[in-house]
Amino acid sequence: MTQTLRPFTHLGDMPIETFLRDYWQKKPLLIRQALPNFESPLSADELAGLCLEDDVISRLIIETPQSSPFNSEWNVTHGPLPEDIFETLPENYWSLLVQHVDQLSPEVNQLLNLFRFIPNWRLDDVMISYAPDKGGVGPHFDYYDVFLLQGHGQRRWRLGQQCTSKSPMLANAPMKVLTEFDVQEDWVLNPGDILYVPPGLAHWGTAVGESITYSVGFRAPSHQDIVLDFSQEVASKIEEDNRYQDQFLTANKNAGEITGDAIEQLKHILQTYMQDEQALAQWLGKTMTQLNPGMVDEAENTIEPEEMANTPFTLSPFARATFYRADSNSEAYIFINGEVYSGSLELANTLSNYLPIDWLSCSDTDKLILETLAQQYLLVSLS
């Protein structure tokens, strides 16, 4: 895969606008030959090699079938895997999963560009799974949207019911496996086919012969995480002098009662911080651009600060970037890999869309940002 992939304008014959209106987070969609003549950028042997590395997040999942497919026994081994483990594997019924491969391979990283019709900060990673015949991870559901791109061979996908945290799961299993599955769709995907699965929908993939599947997932923090993480960040910046006060205290006929006035005062305190749009934007931008755990390869042909005036360059494809417009129409908060910078709206747009940067037209403030990014090896030469 040598060409630069551009965001989809259509999924098959369907305009992206139609997909977002009628399918996104609502119902599944199978797109036959979304990427005609697609060839997997990585082979099974290359995936196995990644699983041997210390900083790569991987799992080997082995299924021992029972009388019913809903009570199979499952074994999970987390990487790094010993090299000789592949000599002991059964012929069928196992799967190798490698997370965050977009951070490890420039060719795989290119796949993210196809899905940038969704905001950058929602994109999470590309996971790759290899399985021999009948291999898979069982019937399950995810809390996030996923596009399943068939890379090599075939995989059978069954889609089922909408699930929640209360859906019955296999007891004492090392992973979440559903014990009920109401088949609604049953498809076999070929290389270049893409299946979109919305959050909460039960799905069950099984290899038909040797199979490699690319899973493009999206970040979806839980409400619990949002409230907890944002409140912790806000609390860390509040001075200790700020305290609860009785603004409208009157003689209370019942000293044991918490009054409505007290609750209103608490609501006012919380709303003061929760309605701070700048604080919300900074938390969201920093949180959603933090890099996933695991190895992050330094991009090739990074550029030094002194080279930027004479060499065309752009933000590294391994960096995560987004921005939020500040109060001024010409300024923005620029978020890159969990850090925030204040720069021009023009630079924010250029960086977050991985476009070529014109050093000579940059302001002094923007140049300081770029020099910092270059020192962190986050800018790459285009020459």
Side-chain angles (χ1 to χ4, degrees):
M1 188 183 305
T2 57
Q3 78 277 20
T4 299
L5 298 177
R6 302 298 181 188
F8 281 127
T9 60
H10 291 69
L11 287 171
D13 296 329
M14 181 183 296
I16 289 299
E17 292 77 9
T18 302
F19 168 77
L20 294 176
R21 184 191 66 210
D22 297 340
Y23 290 87
W24 179 251
Q25 300 197 322
K26 299 180 183 72
K27 55 185 178 181
L29 178 66
L30 173 62
I31 310 105
R32 293 290 188 190
Q33 290 304 286
L35 290 177
N37 305 313
F38 180 76
E39 295 183 7
S40 176
L42 297 182
S43 67
D45 287 343
E46 289 172 317
L47 289 173
L50 287 175
C51 294
L52 308 180
E53 299 184 18
D54 290 338
D55 295 327
V56 174
I57 297 178
S58 61
R59 289 172 290 162
L60 175 64
I61 299 175
I62 301 176
E63 178 185 6
T64 303
Q66 303 296 314
S67 57
S68 166
F70 298 105
N71 60 6
S72 291
E73 294 181 2
W74 298 89
N75 178 270
V76 179
T77 303
H78 294 272
L81 302 177
E83 190 169 359
D84 59 0
I85 196 170
F86 296 105
E87 300 173 4
T88 66
L89 292 175
E91 183 176 350
N92 302 319
Y93 291 105
W94 59 271
S95 186
L96 189 65
L97 283 72
V98 188
Q99 299 278 163
H100 317 318
V101 188
D102 53 291
Q103 294 181 10
L104 310 174
S105 163
E107 293 79 14
V108 175
N109 184 275
Q110 279 282 307
L111 293 175
L112 292 176
N113 290 340
L114 295 169
F115 301 96
R116 294 196 190 278
F117 56 86
I118 305 297
N120 278 353
W121 59 269
R122 288 278 272 119
L123 278 168
D124 190 6
D125 78 329
V126 181
M127 182 187 75
I128 303 180
S129 62
Y130 167 82
D133 191 43
K134 299 181 177 63
V137 299
H140 66 284
F141 73 96
D142 300 311
Y143 284 111
Y144 51 84
D145 306 85
V146 63
F147 289 93
L148 301 165
L149 166 63
Q150 189 60 24
H152 173 76
Q154 295 181 314
R155 189 165 301 223
R156 179 189 181 191
W157 285 102
R158 283 164 282 186
L159 303 184
Q161 71 279 12
Q162 199 69 24
C163 299
T164 69
S165 59
K166 296 181 174 60
S167 298
M169 298 286 178
L170 188 64
N172 303 318
M175 46 197 256
K176 292 183 178 180
V177 179
L178 293 166
T179 56
E180 296 178 0
F181 200 91
D182 181 14
V183 178
Q184 303 293 317
E185 301 286 355
D186 193 336
W187 293 309
V188 174
L189 270 62
N190 299 301
D193 292 346
I194 290 180
L195 175 60
Y196 165 70
V197 181
L201 188 69
H203 50 289
W204 187 356
T206 308
V208 181
E210 285 193 328
S211 174
I212 296 178
T213 300
Y214 291 72
S215 301
V216 180
F218 292 79
R219 295 188 172 189
S222 68
H223 289 190
Q224 182 183 59
D225 287 341
I226 291 171
V227 172
L228 179 62
D229 291 351
F230 177 67
S231 61
Q232 285 180 335
E233 177 160 327
V234 169
S236 69
K237 299 176 182 178
I238 299 175
E239 295 182 359
E240 190 176 358
D241 295 336
N242 293 328
R243 297 281 173 156
Y244 176 91
Q245 294 180 332
D246 295 307
Q247 292 185 338
F248 307 105
L249 186 63
T250 58
N252 195 346
K253 296 179 181 179
N254 188 345
E257 180 185 4
I258 295 175
T259 65
D261 287 342
I263 299 302
E264 287 299 317
Q265 173 68 357
L266 288 177
K267 287 167 59 178
H268 173 73
I269 292 171
L270 292 172
Q271 289 171 357
T272 297
Y273 300 107
M274 294 301 177
Q275 291 181 353
D276 185 341
E277 291 187 7
Q278 300 291 335
L280 284 166
Q282 293 220 20
W283 173 83
L284 183 64
K286 290 188 292 185
T287 300
M288 299 302 279
T289 59
Q290 288 178 351
L291 290 174
N292 288 309
M295 187 174 71
V296 181
D297 272 359
E298 181 182 311
E300 297 179 358
N301 62 310
T302 56
I303 191 169
E304 298 293 335
E306 60 269 17
E307 300 174 313
M308 292 190 291
N310 302 310
T311 305
F313 62 95
T314 187
L315 184 67
S316 166
F318 293 115
R320 298 183 61 92
T322 189
F323 71 90
Y324 176 77
R325 294 173 188 263
D327 291 334
S328 168
N329 289 329
S330 61
E331 297 179 352
Y333 295 117
I334 306 169
F335 305 98
I336 299 176
N337 292 358
E339 300 293 333
V340 59
Y341 308 88
S342 295
S344 71
L345 184 59
E346 181 179 3
L347 180 65
N349 183 68
T350 301
L351 288 170
S352 62
N353 286 287
Y354 305 90
L355 300 173
I357 298 167
D358 182 3
W359 170 264
L360 297 178
S361 68
C362 291
S363 67
D364 290 343
T365 300
D366 286 352
K367 286 180 178 179
L368 288 175
I369 295 173
L370 294 173
E371 288 172 350
T372 300
L373 296 176
Q375 291 165 0
Q376 297 173 352
Y377 306 106
L378 292 176
L379 300 179
V380 295
S381 170
L382 291 173
S383 59

